[in-house]
Amino acid sequence: MKILIKNGYVYDPLNKIDGEIMDIAIENGKIVESVSGEVKEIDAKNMIVMPGGVDLHSHIAGSKVNAGRLLRPEDHYKDVEKKTNIKRSGVGYTVPSTFTTGYRYSEMGYTTVMEAATPPLKTRHTHEELNDIPMVDKACLSVLDNNWIVLDYLSKNELEKCAAFIGWILNAIKGYGIKIVNPGGVELWGWGKNVKTIDDQVPPFNITPREIIRGLCKINKMLNLPHTIHLHTNNLGTPGNYRTLIESMKCVSDLSNGSIVLHVTHVQFCGYKGYSWITLSSGASEIAKFVNENKYVTLDLGQIVFGDATTMTADGPFQYILYSLSKNKWINADVEAETSAGIVPYRFKKKNYVNAIQWSIGLELTLLVKDPWRIFLTTDHPNAGLFTSYPKLIAWLMSKKAREKILKKVNKRAKSKMILPTLEREYTFYEIAIITRAGTAKALGLKNKGHLGIGADADVAIYDLNPKEIDPSKDYKKVRRAFRKAAYTIKDGKIVCKNGEVVENISGKTYWVNVDIPKDLLISTISEVKEKFEEYYTVKMENYAIHENELLKSAPLKINSNL
Amino acid sequence: MKTINNVVCSFCGCLCDDIEVNIENNKIVNVKNTCSLGLSKFLNYDKHRILKPRIRKSKEFVNVSLEEAIDECVKILSNASYPIIYGWSNTSNEALRIGMEIAELIGGVIDNTTSVCHGPTIIGVQDIGESTSTLGQVKNRADLIIYWGSNPLHAHPRHLSRYTALSKGRFVKTRKERKIVVVDVRKTATASIADIFIQIKPNSDYELLSALRYAVNNGEIEQNEVAGVPVEKIEELAEMMISCKFGALMFGLGLTMSPGKHRNIEAAIALVTDLNKYTKFVILPMRGHYNVTGANNVTCWTTGYPFAVDFSKGYPYYNPGETTIADIIARGECDAALIVASDPISHLPIESARKLSKIPIVTIDPHETPTTKISKVVIPSSYVGIEYEGTAYRMDGVPLRLKKIVDPPDGIISDEEILKMILSKLRGD
Ligand code: SF4
């Protein structure tokens, strides 16, 4: 199908296009220079045209997500989706079922989503769910930092072999990148313990979190992976942890050479100043200062949205703390030789002091970090809020008035401690396009995504907003409404949603990195690892690997490693 | 002769993945590493097979073509106003994915055998969560293993050698370094190899679990005995649980199906959860059929609920007791059934089985069962894990790929392919 999107206000930051009136031509699923012949024209006059949304951190598929669904039947009853001629039925709210997840992302103009943490041993499950998430392209990050074979290698400083092993894993399980979750702490959680600083020892490996982060950062470069290491820091969700965050960012400063080498995820959860929940305050200024001065890190928000959430992370010890505080239902699910997972339902309340501070930290950070290319919009779905709340976040960022409306209702003591009320910055559409698509695609190293240049994937979102007429600062409700239901979502050159409704059900691709590792190194590493592997795991190495034909639409990214 | 290594055994929830199979002329001639249950499956899967689709016409079965059987099935399903689709624990996730779509399309109820085995386990988790892990954590770390109301030496014979008592882990290497406790109403085979056997009065699991929880949290119990167990023994066990480095409680149908059902599971989960204040403790259900865990997972990611899902309103609705098939059948509400890889006639209460036999049943199964005998349509299928590939989930949720190792009999296709044909006919493709 050929499509011509006519006369829209185009926001394409990767190509430095800031609201120019332009036509966008599409043919064979790609953006092209021009089209002729039989062309479907879309009149985008007085509308905004952006690349399709790219979410770089969301929990949408896999064993932990499914355990979250299982845990909360009460959550499903209030949000059901009927079957239609086009859509499968499902349930929504905090942990939507697979089909519903795909539709809802698509209806908001999103076209690519990264599942942010998947244990390698259970990645076959993740792919099975990704196969059942329609409409969007997707990929998954592999939790590798507490993997015993990785730790064994790192502690001996055998980085090349470790890199070869990680390259093998990513190929074998069709993963996209290296996810780090509470390095060392999650391994100790196997015994019910945790680490407190990035220099704590992790027995019996004789290694510290600092060494794990640094080792994996080096390996990420050796493998030449498209995305940097993706770090969930130690001490997540603990008062005073903004220091751990800054320490963790600092610890890779010498590995940068000016390039970006680290992505820290859901920073709101690690931006806490103070010594207890009573003295909790925001560490946003300190973090933003560091990030503004050090160009080698990117962040995403994990913005709190008041209301129901289901917290789920591979950070088992953190989830246990949350369970102990909230006494809500608690699932823990450790994965042999690799990682852990915890799930606790949670409700963020405006009148709660801690929750209000948490809410302000995310927004303060986004407003204080000067470079939008290095801070991205997420809610760590479904941890801090739901992905369906993104339009709300956009409104908060674009409108001080929208923020003030909430500020009137939050806990008074919390409000008195915030700097948020003093922040005047309001994001522009251009900046919103960066933090929701251009920047995230760039950070993920997805070269054909997040922009509308010739040759890019024809993933486009059109929003019914006239940037010349509306003032987002005042009309934030209109902004919210428009981003909630895209006028058009175009995926791979097909119109898949119209006026926020799915009009065609398609299946997206699953990206994974196919890293080439020098053959000799690969063979020697695998033969060295095999015995250990079968000693540590309960499955055979051969059966751990996932065949490409288990992916509904496999999209390998060929990577030439630096090994 | 051809040898295939690392085959996954598709018999019980252990999904042992180290099986070696020798094949000659498309026949399995030798199998290594299985237990006797697995061995007998691999060596006997080709006995008592159904080789032709058939339809009951008046009283007699008549062999028909696959297309004819599919047409009849589609007719039965589309004429029904409240059909049920049941089974799934002995087939692949891929087959169930199609089954889900069929159930949704015809507005029926889809349920799996969890309904009649570990349903209470799931309800227990839905009420309070659980602290669990994969089996490898137990193998590598556990110095205390408790089997409660389960007898793995009979039901999951390699559970102990691969994952628990007799396995070699990174941190705990030998049987000597582990304490094994069995709680059961009689001295089972597993009990006889345990360090401690606690014989409990039938149907009093809840009492014993509560007493243990009390002992763990508060110390001394006032009575002399609970559930037929002297208090000293209870306190000794509580102390063992608190002071171990990594404990694992593995429970079976002895706990899920004794009076109290999901309350028993809740008590067990609560005990394990409390123990995490002092040490690391996990709980794991001993799932029977090789892919009942997969069935729960597929149903859950598709609909949000792990079993007993009713699509009659056009969206998933779940209420065990109302939407579980045993209850629907007992109330006489369903008017057609599609049974896949399961034998409800042998497992349902007699009254329900009688009611089920009154409605048209379509059964997809590789071999004869009491259910195929009373079906209106029978469509033979191939064995997943022997004649067809597919995904299954081990009892702890570890997904594994089942291999195709020999060809199925002529004309026999898989559940997945049969269901795809039914779906496409129902859709009118
Ligand atoms: S324990 Fe179960 S899976 Fe393992 S060989 Fe025996 S029957 Fe097969």
mmCIF file of all heavy atoms in Angstrom, chain A residues 77 83 88-89 98 128 132 189 329-330 332 334 336 535-536 538 540 542, chain B residues 17 93 97 104 126 130 132 134 136 139-140 280 297 301 314 318 393-394 403:
data_model
loop_
_atom_site.group_PDB
_atom_site.id
_atom_site.type_symbol
_atom_site.label_atom_id
_atom_site.label_comp_id
_atom_site.label_asym_id
_atom_site.label_seq_id
_atom_site.Cartn_x
_atom_site.Cartn_y
_atom_site.Cartn_z
ATOM 1 N N TYR A 77 -11.433 -7.508 36.607
ATOM 2 C CA TYR A 77 -12.890 -7.388 36.506
ATOM 3 C C TYR A 77 -13.337 -5.991 36.092
ATOM 4 O O TYR A 77 -14.360 -5.817 35.458
ATOM 5 C CB TYR A 77 -13.547 -7.759 37.849
ATOM 6 C CG TYR A 77 -13.426 -9.226 38.197
ATOM 7 C CD1 TYR A 77 -12.917 -9.642 39.425
ATOM 8 C CD2 TYR A 77 -13.833 -10.205 37.291
ATOM 9 C CE1 TYR A 77 -12.799 -10.999 39.731
ATOM 10 C CE2 TYR A 77 -13.714 -11.557 37.588
ATOM 11 C CZ TYR A 77 -13.196 -11.943 38.804
ATOM 12 O OH TYR A 77 -13.082 -13.273 39.099
ATOM 13 N N LYS A 83 -14.516 -8.868 22.468
ATOM 14 C CA LYS A 83 -14.062 -9.258 21.141
ATOM 15 C C LYS A 83 -14.808 -8.438 20.097
ATOM 16 O O LYS A 83 -15.979 -8.149 20.259
ATOM 17 C CB LYS A 83 -14.376 -10.747 20.938
ATOM 18 C CG LYS A 83 -14.040 -11.248 19.565
ATOM 19 C CD LYS A 83 -14.428 -12.706 19.406
ATOM 20 C CE LYS A 83 -14.523 -13.085 17.940
ATOM 21 N NZ LYS A 83 -13.586 -12.428 17.042
ATOM 22 N N ARG A 88 -9.109 -9.354 19.317
ATOM 23 C CA ARG A 88 -9.374 -10.413 20.297
ATOM 24 C C ARG A 88 -9.812 -9.747 21.606
ATOM 25 O O ARG A 88 -9.464 -8.610 21.884
ATOM 26 C CB ARG A 88 -8.097 -11.225 20.546
ATOM 27 C CG ARG A 88 -7.545 -11.954 19.330
ATOM 28 C CD ARG A 88 -8.300 -13.233 19.033
ATOM 29 N NE ARG A 88 -8.242 -14.182 20.137
ATOM 30 C CZ ARG A 88 -7.293 -15.111 20.295
ATOM 31 N NH1 ARG A 88 -6.328 -15.206 19.414
ATOM 32 N NH2 ARG A 88 -7.323 -15.956 21.313
ATOM 33 N N SER A 89 -10.540 -10.503 22.408
ATOM 34 C CA SER A 89 -10.958 -9.943 23.696
ATOM 35 C C SER A 89 -9.802 -9.998 24.685
ATOM 36 O O SER A 89 -8.735 -10.530 24.367
ATOM 37 C CB SER A 89 -12.147 -10.739 24.240
ATOM 38 O OG SER A 89 -11.709 -12.034 24.595
ATOM 39 N N THR A 98 -2.221 -10.127 26.752
ATOM 40 C CA THR A 98 -1.306 -9.840 25.635
ATOM 41 C C THR A 98 -1.952 -9.049 24.495
ATOM 42 O O THR A 98 -1.402 -8.038 24.057
ATOM 43 C CB THR A 98 -0.753 -11.154 25.060
ATOM 44 O OG1 THR A 98 -1.825 -12.078 24.898
ATOM 45 C CG2 THR A 98 0.297 -11.757 25.966
ATOM 46 N N GLU A 128 6.868 -16.394 23.675
ATOM 47 C CA GLU A 128 5.505 -16.885 23.403
ATOM 48 C C GLU A 128 4.492 -15.762 23.607
ATOM 49 O O GLU A 128 3.551 -15.610 22.839
ATOM 50 C CB GLU A 128 5.172 -18.039 24.342
ATOM 51 C CG GLU A 128 5.769 -19.354 23.891
ATOM 52 C CD GLU A 128 4.893 -20.503 24.357
ATOM 53 O OE1 GLU A 128 4.910 -20.793 25.563
ATOM 54 O OE2 GLU A 128 4.179 -21.069 23.527
ATOM 55 N N ASP A 132 2.063 -13.217 20.941
ATOM 56 C CA ASP A 132 0.632 -12.924 21.110
ATOM 57 C C ASP A 132 0.362 -11.443 21.385
ATOM 58 O O ASP A 132 -0.758 -11.083 21.734
ATOM 59 C CB ASP A 132 0.046 -13.786 22.241
ATOM 60 C CG ASP A 132 -0.533 -15.097 21.706
ATOM 61 O OD1 ASP A 132 -0.605 -15.257 20.474
ATOM 62 O OD2 ASP A 132 -0.922 -15.952 22.520
ATOM 63 N N TRP A 189 19.968 -12.474 47.346
ATOM 64 C CA TRP A 189 18.559 -12.726 47.667
ATOM 65 C C TRP A 189 18.245 -14.233 47.604
ATOM 66 O O TRP A 189 17.311 -14.715 48.229
ATOM 67 C CB TRP A 189 17.654 -11.931 46.737
ATOM 68 C CG TRP A 189 16.198 -12.167 46.978
ATOM 69 C CD1 TRP A 189 15.283 -12.669 46.096
ATOM 70 C CD2 TRP A 189 15.469 -11.922 48.192
ATOM 71 N NE1 TRP A 189 14.043 -12.747 46.677
ATOM 72 C CE2 TRP A 189 14.128 -12.294 47.958
ATOM 73 C CE3 TRP A 189 15.823 -11.425 49.438
ATOM 74 C CZ2 TRP A 189 13.134 -12.190 48.931
ATOM 75 C CZ3 TRP A 189 14.831 -11.330 50.425
ATOM 76 C CH2 TRP A 189 13.508 -11.697 50.163
ATOM 77 N N LYS A 329 -0.478 -8.547 48.805
ATOM 78 C CA LYS A 329 -0.079 -9.871 48.336
ATOM 79 C C LYS A 329 1.345 -9.811 47.794
ATOM 80 O O LYS A 329 1.753 -8.791 47.243
ATOM 81 C CB LYS A 329 -0.996 -10.319 47.197
ATOM 82 C CG LYS A 329 -2.471 -10.203 47.460
ATOM 83 C CD LYS A 329 -3.242 -10.950 46.382
ATOM 84 C CE LYS A 329 -4.038 -10.064 45.470
ATOM 85 N NZ LYS A 329 -4.979 -10.776 44.612
ATOM 86 N N TRP A 330 2.071 -10.901 47.945
ATOM 87 C CA TRP A 330 3.473 -10.902 47.503
ATOM 88 C C TRP A 330 3.799 -12.185 46.760
ATOM 89 O O TRP A 330 3.582 -13.275 47.288
ATOM 90 C CB TRP A 330 4.384 -10.776 48.725
ATOM 91 C CG TRP A 330 5.847 -10.995 48.484
ATOM 92 C CD1 TRP A 330 6.633 -10.332 47.594
ATOM 93 C CD2 TRP A 330 6.710 -11.932 49.151
ATOM 94 N NE1 TRP A 330 7.933 -10.790 47.679
ATOM 95 C CE2 TRP A 330 8.019 -11.765 48.625
ATOM 96 C CE3 TRP A 330 6.535 -12.891 50.151
ATOM 97 C CZ2 TRP A 330 9.116 -12.531 49.058
ATOM 98 C CZ3 TRP A 330 7.620 -13.632 50.587
ATOM 99 C CH2 TRP A 330 8.892 -13.458 50.046
ATOM 100 N N ASN A 332 7.128 -14.037 45.106
ATOM 101 C CA ASN A 332 8.562 -14.055 44.842
ATOM 102 C C ASN A 332 8.803 -15.235 43.904
ATOM 103 O O ASN A 332 8.176 -16.279 44.037
ATOM 104 C CB ASN A 332 9.337 -14.265 46.139
ATOM 105 C CG ASN A 332 10.824 -14.342 45.888
ATOM 106 O OD1 ASN A 332 11.455 -13.324 45.636
ATOM 107 N ND2 ASN A 332 11.390 -15.542 45.938
ATOM 108 N N ASP A 334 12.269 -16.872 42.295
ATOM 109 C CA ASP A 334 13.699 -16.910 41.961
ATOM 110 C C ASP A 334 13.955 -17.849 40.786
ATOM 111 O O ASP A 334 13.300 -18.877 40.668
ATOM 112 C CB ASP A 334 14.510 -17.393 43.170
ATOM 113 C CG ASP A 334 14.443 -16.409 44.333
ATOM 114 O OD1 ASP A 334 13.935 -15.294 44.128
ATOM 115 O OD2 ASP A 334 14.897 -16.767 45.427
ATOM 116 N N GLU A 336 16.863 -20.079 38.957
ATOM 117 C CA GLU A 336 18.154 -20.707 39.236
ATOM 118 C C GLU A 336 19.289 -20.097 38.433
ATOM 119 O O GLU A 336 19.177 -19.826 37.246
ATOM 120 C CB GLU A 336 18.070 -22.206 38.901
ATOM 121 C CG GLU A 336 17.787 -22.491 37.424
ATOM 122 C CD GLU A 336 17.076 -23.816 37.227
ATOM 123 O OE1 GLU A 336 16.043 -24.025 37.888
ATOM 124 O OE2 GLU A 336 17.564 -24.634 36.414
ATOM 125 N N GLU A 535 25.773 -28.236 35.466
ATOM 126 C CA GLU A 535 25.836 -28.414 36.917
ATOM 127 C C GLU A 535 24.919 -27.380 37.603
ATOM 128 O O GLU A 535 24.187 -27.697 38.530
ATOM 129 C CB GLU A 535 27.275 -28.229 37.386
ATOM 130 C CG GLU A 535 27.467 -28.514 38.872
ATOM 131 C CD GLU A 535 28.833 -28.056 39.373
ATOM 132 O OE1 GLU A 535 29.814 -28.081 38.582
ATOM 133 O OE2 GLU A 535 28.908 -27.638 40.543
ATOM 134 N N TYR A 536 24.944 -26.155 37.111
ATOM 135 C CA TYR A 536 24.181 -25.084 37.758
ATOM 136 C C TYR A 536 22.691 -25.131 37.427
ATOM 137 O O TYR A 536 21.848 -24.829 38.256
ATOM 138 C CB TYR A 536 24.707 -23.709 37.319
ATOM 139 C CG TYR A 536 26.141 -23.422 37.722
ATOM 140 C CD1 TYR A 536 26.849 -22.395 37.093
ATOM 141 C CD2 TYR A 536 26.774 -24.140 38.721
ATOM 142 C CE1 TYR A 536 28.156 -22.099 37.444
ATOM 143 C CE2 TYR A 536 28.079 -23.858 39.074
ATOM 144 C CZ TYR A 536 28.765 -22.835 38.436
ATOM 145 O OH TYR A 536 30.049 -22.553 38.787
ATOM 146 N N THR A 538 19.058 -26.836 35.635
ATOM 147 C CA THR A 538 18.364 -28.123 35.595
ATOM 148 C C THR A 538 17.940 -28.472 34.172
ATOM 149 O O THR A 538 17.161 -29.385 33.972
ATOM 150 C CB THR A 538 17.116 -28.092 36.486
ATOM 151 O OG1 THR A 538 16.380 -26.918 36.138
ATOM 152 C CG2 THR A 538 17.474 -28.061 37.952
ATOM 153 N N LYS A 540 19.327 -28.863 29.950
ATOM 154 C CA LYS A 540 20.498 -29.011 29.097
ATOM 155 C C LYS A 540 20.719 -27.721 28.311
ATOM 156 O O LYS A 540 19.759 -27.032 27.936
ATOM 157 C CB LYS A 540 20.273 -30.167 28.116
ATOM 158 C CG LYS A 540 20.167 -31.510 28.800
ATOM 159 C CD LYS A 540 21.551 -31.980 29.154
ATOM 160 C CE LYS A 540 21.515 -33.278 29.908
ATOM 161 N NZ LYS A 540 22.837 -33.638 30.409
ATOM 162 N N GLU A 542 21.496 -27.366 25.318
ATOM 163 C CA GLU A 542 20.813 -27.420 24.008
ATOM 164 C C GLU A 542 19.340 -27.012 24.150
ATOM 165 O O GLU A 542 18.792 -26.325 23.292
ATOM 166 C CB GLU A 542 20.911 -28.845 23.449
ATOM 167 C CG GLU A 542 20.212 -29.013 22.119
ATOM 168 C CD GLU A 542 19.870 -30.464 21.802
ATOM 169 O OE1 GLU A 542 20.676 -31.362 22.111
ATOM 170 O OE2 GLU A 542 18.770 -30.673 21.246
ATOM 171 N N ASP B 17 14.736 -33.425 30.762
ATOM 172 C CA ASP B 17 15.134 -33.062 29.389
ATOM 173 C C ASP B 17 16.448 -33.724 28.975
ATOM 174 O O ASP B 17 17.146 -33.226 28.109
ATOM 175 C CB ASP B 17 15.222 -31.543 29.238
ATOM 176 C CG ASP B 17 16.475 -30.961 29.860
ATOM 177 O OD1 ASP B 17 16.973 -31.536 30.842
ATOM 178 O OD2 ASP B 17 16.961 -29.933 29.351
ATOM 179 N N ASN B 93 1.460 -25.768 24.173
ATOM 180 C CA ASN B 93 0.932 -24.409 24.267
ATOM 181 C C ASN B 93 0.394 -23.940 22.928
ATOM 182 O O ASN B 93 -0.596 -23.213 22.872
ATOM 183 C CB ASN B 93 2.041 -23.454 24.681
ATOM 184 C CG ASN B 93 2.405 -23.596 26.137
ATOM 185 O OD1 ASN B 93 1.816 -24.396 26.851
ATOM 186 N ND2 ASN B 93 3.377 -22.820 26.576
ATOM 187 N N ARG B 97 -3.183 -22.280 22.239
ATOM 188 C CA ARG B 97 -3.380 -20.922 21.690
ATOM 189 C C ARG B 97 -4.522 -20.913 20.679
ATOM 190 O O ARG B 97 -5.316 -19.973 20.631
ATOM 191 C CB ARG B 97 -2.097 -20.420 21.026
ATOM 192 C CG ARG B 97 -1.039 -19.989 22.021
ATOM 193 C CD ARG B 97 0.206 -19.505 21.317
ATOM 194 N NE ARG B 97 -0.041 -18.285 20.575
ATOM 195 C CZ ARG B 97 0.543 -17.988 19.408
ATOM 196 N NH1 ARG B 97 1.395 -18.819 18.867
ATOM 197 N NH2 ARG B 97 0.289 -16.853 18.801
ATOM 198 N N GLU B 104 -13.156 -18.363 22.247
ATOM 199 C CA GLU B 104 -13.603 -16.974 22.172
ATOM 200 C C GLU B 104 -14.595 -16.784 21.026
ATOM 201 O O GLU B 104 -15.630 -16.132 21.181
ATOM 202 C CB GLU B 104 -12.370 -16.089 21.970
ATOM 203 C CG GLU B 104 -12.663 -14.622 21.962
ATOM 204 C CD GLU B 104 -11.417 -13.824 21.611
ATOM 205 O OE1 GLU B 104 -11.006 -13.841 20.431
ATOM 206 O OE2 GLU B 104 -10.855 -13.201 22.506
ATOM 207 N N GLN B 126 -3.829 -16.511 44.262
ATOM 208 C CA GLN B 126 -4.587 -15.290 43.957
ATOM 209 C C GLN B 126 -4.977 -14.548 45.233
ATOM 210 O O GLN B 126 -5.081 -13.337 45.242
ATOM 211 C CB GLN B 126 -5.820 -15.630 43.116
ATOM 212 C CG GLN B 126 -5.413 -16.050 41.701
ATOM 213 C CD GLN B 126 -6.573 -16.410 40.814
ATOM 214 O OE1 GLN B 126 -7.561 -16.954 41.276
ATOM 215 N NE2 GLN B 126 -6.438 -16.120 39.534
ATOM 216 N N GLU B 130 2.789 -15.916 46.702
ATOM 217 C CA GLU B 130 3.591 -17.081 47.092
ATOM 218 C C GLU B 130 5.064 -16.741 46.958
ATOM 219 O O GLU B 130 5.446 -15.905 46.146
ATOM 220 C CB GLU B 130 3.272 -18.300 46.201
ATOM 221 C CG GLU B 130 3.670 -18.087 44.749
ATOM 222 C CD GLU B 130 3.449 -19.294 43.841
ATOM 223 O OE1 GLU B 130 3.345 -20.412 44.344
ATOM 224 O OE2 GLU B 130 3.393 -19.095 42.616
ATOM 225 N N THR B 132 8.229 -18.460 45.690
ATOM 226 C CA THR B 132 8.550 -19.682 44.963
ATOM 227 C C THR B 132 9.855 -19.527 44.198
ATOM 228 O O THR B 132 10.529 -18.500 44.286
ATOM 229 C CB THR B 132 7.361 -20.075 44.045
ATOM 230 O OG1 THR B 132 7.596 -21.386 43.524
ATOM 231 C CG2 THR B 132 7.183 -19.110 42.902
ATOM 232 N N THR B 134 12.416 -21.605 40.770
ATOM 233 C CA THR B 134 12.541 -22.756 39.882
ATOM 234 C C THR B 134 13.199 -23.891 40.660
ATOM 235 O O THR B 134 13.803 -23.687 41.715
ATOM 236 C CB THR B 134 13.383 -22.443 38.631
ATOM 237 O OG1 THR B 134 14.730 -22.185 39.039
ATOM 238 C CG2 THR B 134 12.837 -21.260 37.862
ATOM 239 N N GLY B 136 15.826 -25.519 40.083
ATOM 240 C CA GLY B 136 17.280 -25.432 40.198
ATOM 241 C C GLY B 136 17.724 -24.704 41.456
ATOM 242 O O GLY B 136 18.797 -24.982 41.994
ATOM 243 N N LYS B 139 17.739 -27.378 43.944
ATOM 244 C CA LYS B 139 18.881 -28.256 43.707
ATOM 245 C C LYS B 139 20.175 -27.612 44.227
ATOM 246 O O LYS B 139 20.982 -28.269 44.884
ATOM 247 C CB LYS B 139 19.005 -28.518 42.199
ATOM 248 C CG LYS B 139 20.283 -29.251 41.816
ATOM 249 C CD LYS B 139 20.395 -29.461 40.313
ATOM 250 C CE LYS B 139 21.355 -28.463 39.695
ATOM 251 N NZ LYS B 139 22.021 -28.951 38.486
ATOM 252 N N ASN B 140 20.363 -26.346 43.950
ATOM 253 C CA ASN B 140 21.622 -25.697 44.293
ATOM 254 C C ASN B 140 21.721 -25.248 45.742
ATOM 255 O O ASN B 140 22.818 -25.153 46.282
ATOM 256 C CB ASN B 140 21.849 -24.478 43.392
ATOM 257 C CG ASN B 140 22.284 -24.869 42.000
ATOM 258 O OD1 ASN B 140 23.251 -25.607 41.830
ATOM 259 N ND2 ASN B 140 21.555 -24.409 40.989
ATOM 260 N N LYS B 280 15.535 -18.128 53.936
ATOM 261 C CA LYS B 280 14.930 -18.159 52.603
ATOM 262 C C LYS B 280 14.066 -19.404 52.502
ATOM 263 O O LYS B 280 14.523 -20.510 52.830
ATOM 264 C CB LYS B 280 16.051 -18.216 51.565
ATOM 265 C CG LYS B 280 15.557 -18.112 50.156
ATOM 266 C CD LYS B 280 15.121 -16.716 49.816
ATOM 267 C CE LYS B 280 14.556 -16.683 48.415
ATOM 268 N NZ LYS B 280 14.803 -15.414 47.775
ATOM 269 N N ASN B 297 -0.575 -20.979 31.945
ATOM 270 C CA ASN B 297 0.109 -19.780 31.464
ATOM 271 C C ASN B 297 -0.514 -19.206 30.204
ATOM 272 O O ASN B 297 -0.741 -18.007 30.111
ATOM 273 C CB ASN B 297 1.601 -20.074 31.259
ATOM 274 C CG ASN B 297 2.394 -19.830 32.526
ATOM 275 O OD1 ASN B 297 2.530 -18.697 32.967
ATOM 276 N ND2 ASN B 297 2.873 -20.888 33.147
ATOM 277 N N TRP B 301 -2.131 -15.466 29.940
ATOM 278 C CA TRP B 301 -1.701 -14.294 29.169
ATOM 279 C C TRP B 301 -2.745 -13.873 28.147
ATOM 280 O O TRP B 301 -2.824 -12.720 27.769
ATOM 281 C CB TRP B 301 -0.317 -14.470 28.578
ATOM 282 C CG TRP B 301 -0.116 -15.310 27.347
ATOM 283 C CD1 TRP B 301 -0.679 -15.116 26.110
ATOM 284 C CD2 TRP B 301 0.776 -16.433 27.196
ATOM 285 N NE1 TRP B 301 -0.196 -16.064 25.233
ATOM 286 C CE2 TRP B 301 0.699 -16.868 25.868
ATOM 287 C CE3 TRP B 301 1.642 -17.100 28.062
ATOM 288 C CZ2 TRP B 301 1.446 -17.948 25.381
ATOM 289 C CZ3 TRP B 301 2.378 -18.160 27.577
ATOM 290 C CH2 TRP B 301 2.280 -18.580 26.256
ATOM 291 N N GLY B 314 -18.559 -12.338 25.590
ATOM 292 C CA GLY B 314 -17.753 -11.653 24.574
ATOM 293 C C GLY B 314 -16.414 -11.183 25.119
ATOM 294 O O GLY B 314 -15.583 -10.660 24.403
ATOM 295 N N TYR B 318 -14.314 -14.961 34.778
ATOM 296 C CA TYR B 318 -13.751 -16.061 35.564
ATOM 297 C C TYR B 318 -14.334 -16.063 36.946
ATOM 298 O O TYR B 318 -14.355 -15.025 37.622
ATOM 299 C CB TYR B 318 -12.244 -15.830 35.606
ATOM 300 C CG TYR B 318 -11.425 -16.548 36.665
ATOM 301 C CD1 TYR B 318 -10.962 -17.838 36.441
ATOM 302 C CD2 TYR B 318 -11.053 -15.899 37.848
ATOM 303 C CE1 TYR B 318 -10.151 -18.473 37.376
ATOM 304 C CE2 TYR B 318 -10.244 -16.528 38.785
ATOM 305 C CZ TYR B 318 -9.798 -17.815 38.548
ATOM 306 O OH TYR B 318 -8.982 -18.425 39.468
ATOM 307 N N TYR B 393 5.503 -26.342 29.672
ATOM 308 C CA TYR B 393 6.096 -25.704 30.848
ATOM 309 C C TYR B 393 6.220 -26.718 31.978
ATOM 310 O O TYR B 393 5.233 -27.366 32.352
ATOM 311 C CB TYR B 393 5.229 -24.523 31.318
ATOM 312 C CG TYR B 393 5.315 -23.301 30.427
ATOM 313 C CD1 TYR B 393 5.695 -23.414 29.093
ATOM 314 C CD2 TYR B 393 5.024 -22.036 30.919
ATOM 315 C CE1 TYR B 393 5.786 -22.289 28.280
ATOM 316 C CE2 TYR B 393 5.106 -20.911 30.110
ATOM 317 C CZ TYR B 393 5.479 -21.049 28.783
ATOM 318 O OH TYR B 393 5.558 -19.937 27.978
ATOM 319 N N ARG B 394 7.437 -26.797 32.506
ATOM 320 C CA ARG B 394 7.697 -27.661 33.641
ATOM 321 C C ARG B 394 6.879 -27.179 34.841
ATOM 322 O O ARG B 394 6.405 -26.041 34.857
ATOM 323 C CB ARG B 394 9.199 -27.585 33.950
ATOM 324 C CG ARG B 394 9.771 -28.758 34.649
ATOM 325 C CD ARG B 394 11.282 -28.714 34.560
ATOM 326 N NE ARG B 394 11.835 -27.650 35.392
ATOM 327 C CZ ARG B 394 13.144 -27.373 35.451
ATOM 328 N NH1 ARG B 394 14.007 -28.056 34.729
ATOM 329 N NH2 ARG B 394 13.595 -26.415 36.232
ATOM 330 N N LYS B 403 10.396 -32.231 21.338
ATOM 331 C CA LYS B 403 10.891 -32.527 19.988
ATOM 332 C C LYS B 403 9.984 -33.508 19.263
ATOM 333 O O LYS B 403 9.300 -34.311 19.887
ATOM 334 C CB LYS B 403 12.268 -33.176 20.093
ATOM 335 C CG LYS B 403 13.348 -32.241 20.565
ATOM 336 C CD LYS B 403 14.692 -32.946 20.638
ATOM 337 C CE LYS B 403 15.728 -31.982 21.191
ATOM 338 N NZ LYS B 403 16.961 -32.581 21.583
#
